[in-house]
Amino acid sequence: MMAAAIRHDWRETLPAARGRVTFDAPLGASTWFRVGGPAEYLLRPQDDDDLARFLAALSPELPVTVIGAASNLIIRDGGIPGIVIRLARGFGDVAIEADGLVAGAAALDVTIADHAAAAGLGGLEFLSGIPGSLGGAIAMNAGAYGGEIRDVLDWAEIVGRDGSINRLSAADLALSYRHATLPPGGIVLRVRLFAHPDEPVAIAARMAAIKANREASQPIRARTGGSTFRNPDGHKAWQLIDQAGCRGMVIGDAQVSEKHCNFLINRGAATAADLEALGDAVRARVLAETGIELRWEIRRLGVKPGGAR
């Protein structure tokens, strides 16, 4: 249940929505780590208009958090106060065009890569190696295997906290390493990505190589959240972690992966607190051993038990 210290009775003042609003909604089981507390309120909007109207009428006092596939995310054990918005059905369509595609923010990155491949469009194969959904990929300029979002982004439609919808270019978003400058409170709705005609056999071969590389080098079948820390300039995070002797390090039931030590793993009974404490312990040891400060790439949302953020 949501920690009493952060619970508010907003139910009578929430705007109407055609989508589903759930109070005290469990979230942990739907994250890749399988940890975390509930959302105070969870909204699954039906479509763009439903979300825009809801946001426009929402009290500015109520905090809003957006989550996607929850692949690169730790939700703290005390849950997330305010309203959590999760885009799902109605936000996952993919439409193929001659030189690219338009996809909803809830479309999975791998699904987008599959659609492009089936249409004989190249240049988006790298998305098959990125867990998560397109909205999150835009928000952090996700990248892997030689490609990143800023290489292929044409525009993104974004709804603001005031309910307005605007189309922003890649330049408007000022994409940089694992960062995009979204408008305050902005939520990605849909995106257009550039692609180019290519031989389906060649595209399939590149995607197969990415899949084989991931399976060989990453703990993809474990309860994990992808890369934990950003690569510092001129360094690889996993090498710094290994150098500091953190490979296999354990706190509670959370472990630094033996296979790829920039991945944390829930061995079965870890809490969000275990995972976050382990990440912070790794950061402290790397700083002490190398003088380099690792920055979290995994998002950590919500409050710790007792109300601490």
Side-chain angles (χ1 to χ4, degrees):
M1 299 291 289
M2 176 65 59
I6 62 170
R7 174 175 282 165
H8 308 89
D9 191 4
W10 295 94
R11 280 173 285 187
E12 294 185 1
T13 60
L14 283 180
R18 286 182 285 112
R20 183 178 180 186
V21 179
T22 307
F23 174 69
D24 211 13
L27 295 175
S30 63
T31 72
W32 285 36
F33 274 120
R34 303 293 192 271
V35 299
E40 191 171 8
Y41 299 93
L42 175 65
L43 168 67
R44 295 178 181 270
Q46 190 171 98
D47 52 32
D48 295 2
D49 183 66
D50 188 30
L51 176 58
R53 289 176 180 273
F54 183 89
L55 289 172
L58 188 65
S59 168
E61 299 177 23
L62 187 59
V64 173
T65 302
V66 182
I67 62 175
S71 58
N72 195 238
L73 176 66
I74 295 173
I75 294 176
R76 293 181 172 122
D77 300 307
I80 302 179
I83 187 97
V84 174
I85 296 173
R86 190 163 199 172
L87 306 185
R89 188 178 304 173
F91 294 86
D93 293 343
V94 179
I96 298 295
E97 299 183 347
D99 62 345
L101 55 80
V102 176
L108 295 178
D109 299 327
V110 66
T111 299
I112 294 167
D114 286 342
H115 276 272
L121 291 175
L124 301 179
E125 295 89 340
F126 73 96
L127 288 171
S128 68
I130 301 176
S133 56
L134 184 57
I138 299 298
M140 65 175 296
N141 183 32
Y145 301 100
E148 59 183 355
I149 288 294
R150 66 178 165 184
D151 299 330
V152 298
L153 179 63
D154 183 3
W155 49 256
E157 285 186 353
I158 296 173
V159 60
R161 181 67 190 255
D162 62 355
S164 63
I165 297 177
N166 295 287
R167 181 174 291 185
L168 302 181
S169 68
D172 293 330
L173 295 175
L175 301 174
S176 59
Y177 178 66
R178 300 300 174 265
H179 178 75
T181 305
L182 296 177
I187 302 171
V188 178
L189 297 175
R190 68 179 47 77
V191 175
R192 188 179 191 280
L193 302 177
F194 290 115
H196 57 266
D198 201 350
E199 291 296 326
V201 172
I203 297 171
R206 290 192 289 270
M207 289 175 62
I210 289 172
K211 181 179 179 181
N213 184 289
R214 288 190 70 217
E215 290 180 346
S217 63
Q218 300 176 10
I220 61 174
R221 305 193 189 286
R223 293 182 178 182
T224 186
S227 295
T228 306
F229 303 108
R230 303 178 184 188
N231 290 324
D233 290 343
H235 298 275
K236 296 291 187 183
W238 76 264
Q239 291 176 335
L240 296 171
I241 296 167
D242 208 15
Q243 179 183 338
C246 298
R247 186 182 293 268
M249 185 176 175
V250 172
I251 290 181
D253 220 18
Q255 181 181 30
V256 176
S257 170
E258 297 273 6
K259 192 170 190 177
H260 190 312
C261 51
N262 196 24
F263 284 64
L264 303 183
I265 292 172
N266 176 2
R267 298 190 299 180
T271 63
D274 291 337
L275 290 161
E276 192 167 7
L278 179 58
D280 284 338
V282 168
R283 294 179 70 238
R285 187 176 294 187
V286 168
L287 181 61
E289 292 289 331
T290 69
I292 297 173
E293 184 175 5
L294 293 177
R295 296 176 61 196
W296 284 90
E297 183 169 319
I298 285 178
R299 297 169 68 205
R300 291 149 296 131
L301 301 177
V303 298
K304 299 173 182 178
R309 293 179 183 269

